[in-house]
Amino acid sequence: QVQLVESGGGLVQAGGSLRLSCAASGRTISTYVMGWFRQASGKEREFVAEIRWSGSTISYADFVKGRFTVSRDNAKNMVYLQMNSLKLEDTAVYYCAAGRRIIMNKWEPDYWGQGTQVTVSS
């Protein structure tokens, strides 16, 4: 049982930056792959980034490479998503996720946060 609570969302201008935080409770995140998904209005939920146990194995969706950085602090039970050079199309609800299952080299989260809204304006 892992509870995840996101924070840091809000309104930001295009080209600006925002840092999302995810606080975990119930279990230490040290044994979980952690990451982020997002869902824009009218669209399907999509993968954004993941960071595996060592912190050195990190994956990003192509549309955020070079702009977003995922990190984790196991001692604080926190996960972060630093978002730079934000675009209008980054507007979405961002969800923190946790899970240990990797099937066919694909991470399958088991726990989800409630989401935090990120809105990018012109």
Side-chain angles (χ1 to χ4, degrees):
Q1 53 181 17
V2 179
Q3 294 80 47
L4 305 172
V5 180
E6 304 95 334
S7 62
L11 178 65
V12 63
Q13 287 188 328
S17 298
L18 207 60
R19 189 178 80 155
L20 305 183
S21 298
C22 174
S25 61
R27 298 281 182 85
T28 176
I29 66 169
S30 62
T31 61
Y32 289 86
V33 175
M34 305 295 297
W36 297 86
F37 289 73
R38 72 185 188 186
Q39 186 168 23
S41 180
K43 296 184 178 181
E44 297 181 352
R45 183 178 62 186
E46 61 185 356
F47 168 79
V48 175
E50 67 176 79
I51 180 167
R52 297 190 178 182
W53 300 272
S54 69
S56 62
T57 302
I58 299 173
S59 297
Y60 295 99
D62 287 341
F63 53 80
V64 303
K65 287 182 178 178
R67 300 190 298 121
F68 290 10
T69 302
V70 63
S71 61
R72 65 192 296 161
D73 187 334
N74 290 340
K76 295 181 178 180
N77 245 24
M78 296 287 291
V79 182
Y80 307 96
L81 184 68
Q82 178 66 47
M83 305 184 294
N84 298 327
S85 301
L86 283 162
K87 304 175 180 179
L88 292 177
E89 53 264 41
D90 292 321
T91 296
V93 177
Y94 284 72
Y95 297 91
C96 181
R100 296 190 179 106
R101 295 182 295 120
I102 299 176
I103 303 175
M104 299 296 290
N105 205 37
K106 182 180 179 181
W107 175 48
E108 299 287 350
D110 294 309
Y111 305 98
W112 301 85
Q114 84 290 345
T116 185
Q117 177 71 48
V118 172
T119 302
V120 183
S121 64
S122 300

